[in-house]
Amino acid sequence: MNSRENFFISLNQVNCRINDACQNCGRDPGEVKLMAVTKTHPAEAADWAVEAGLRHIGENRVQEAAAKRPEVRQAGGFWELIGPLQRNKARLALETVDRIQTVDRLKLVSALDRLCGEIGKESFPVLLQVNTAEDPAKHGCAIEEAEGLVEAIRSSEHLRLEGLMTIGELTEDPVRIRATFRRLRELRDRLERACGLKLPELSMGMTGDLELAIEEGSTLVRVGSALFGTRL
Ligand SMILES: *Cc1c(COP(=O)(O)O)cnc(C)c1O
């Protein structure tokens, strides 16, 4: 992992990339939030991020997040689950993080809703993960399933849908990667019209493809290696 000093230098570079991308497409950099993805790194990583003013902390495994969060000294982080969620970890996830970005199937919607009722979460924020890369190996619902899931979340008692999340296609081809992000934005626009609700958050873009995601409308880029160095 990067040293603390290197983290702050890297953060500057990432912020420059975000600003340049915004400038290229005429967006206000204030519309794009930066999440620090701290998976595999110690609690210190989250401390540095929060100290630097980054609010969103991303973890992809529930148990790792549950072990790490109590060790963090800096208060004020908003922790988010960005990795696949099994139903047997749903309760721990709700008790550990502040938002779940990886809701992608009906059974998970009903399990989370029931558990929220049991543990007293009134209006728990979630994103719907959509597999816009149409990669069978990836998590996320199919584009055609999204509307049904949006309706299911909307009619749940305790979940609040704030937007959509996707992972860029695993390829070197920027045209194809960009297409994954564009499909998420277009889907969001269709869902807003079809369901008559607002889905403001578009979580897309990582270290390798954040510029493309920003140009296609990302409101939250999830960055790990560009901030903390390569993971072991
Ligand atoms: C690990 C991870 C990231 C961050 O990846 P980097 O390439 O290190 O920036 C973003 N999103 C998800 C879902 C991840 O699992």
Side-chain angles (χ1 to χ4, degrees), residues 130-157:
V130 187
N131 184 358
T132 56
E134 290 164 330
D135 178 346
K138 283 233 185 85
H139 292 268
C141 71
I143 290 175
E144 311 79 65
E145 296 170 326
E147 186 170 340
L149 283 159
V150 168
E151 290 299 348
I153 298 170
R154 175 151 69 170
S155 50
S156 73
E157 268 186 78

Side-chain angles (χ1 to χ4, degrees), residues 37 39 60 82-83 165 167 205-208 222-226 229 231:
V37 177
K39 67 187 186 198
N60 72 332
I82 59 171
M165 179 271 214
I167 300 174
M206 326 199 312
T207 290
R222 311 177 303 263
V223 177
S225 21
R231 288 179 291 273

Side-chain angles (χ1 to χ4, degrees), residues 6-148:
N6 275 328
F7 162 76
F8 279 91
I9 294 168
S10 304
L11 173 59
N12 252 321
Q13 291 164 346
V14 171
N15 278 327
C16 286
R17 285 177 64 187
I18 294 173
N19 287 336
D20 287 349
C22 286
Q23 195 145 39
N24 281 339
C25 61
R27 293 187 63 196
D28 172 1
E31 292 173 10
V32 183
K33 300 175 290 283
L34 171 60
M35 164 187 281
V37 177
T38 52
K39 67 187 186 198
T40 77
H41 298 305
E44 260 186 314
D47 279 327
W48 300 341
V50 175
E51 189 191 335
L54 302 182
R55 201 163 104 75
H56 296 260
I57 305 293
E59 284 284 333
N60 72 332
R61 305 181 72 174
V62 177
Q63 271 146 326
E64 185 180 338
K68 197 177 295 180
R69 192 166 186 177
E71 293 178 4
V72 167
R73 298 191 193 145
Q74 295 274 350
F78 183 82
W79 287 56
E80 306 203 50
L81 184 69
I82 59 171
L85 178 58
Q86 250 97 56
R87 268 188 292 160
N88 61 4
K89 309 250 171 60
R91 177 188 291 267
L92 185 59
L94 290 166
E95 289 166 347
T96 301
V97 300
D98 303 303
R99 184 164 72 172
I100 296 174
Q101 295 206 357
T102 49
V103 174
D104 63 355
R105 56 201 189 277
L106 280 175
K107 282 190 165 163
L108 187 56
V109 171
S110 33
L112 287 170
D113 192 32
R114 176 177 51 78
L115 288 164
C116 279
E118 284 178 25
I119 64 181
K121 303 268 181 192
E122 295 271 314
S123 176
F124 191 87
V126 299
L127 301 185
L128 179 65
Q129 183 181 359
V130 187
N131 184 358
T132 56
E134 290 164 330
D135 178 346
K138 283 233 185 85
H139 292 268
C141 71
I143 290 175
E144 311 79 65
E145 296 170 326
E147 186 170 340

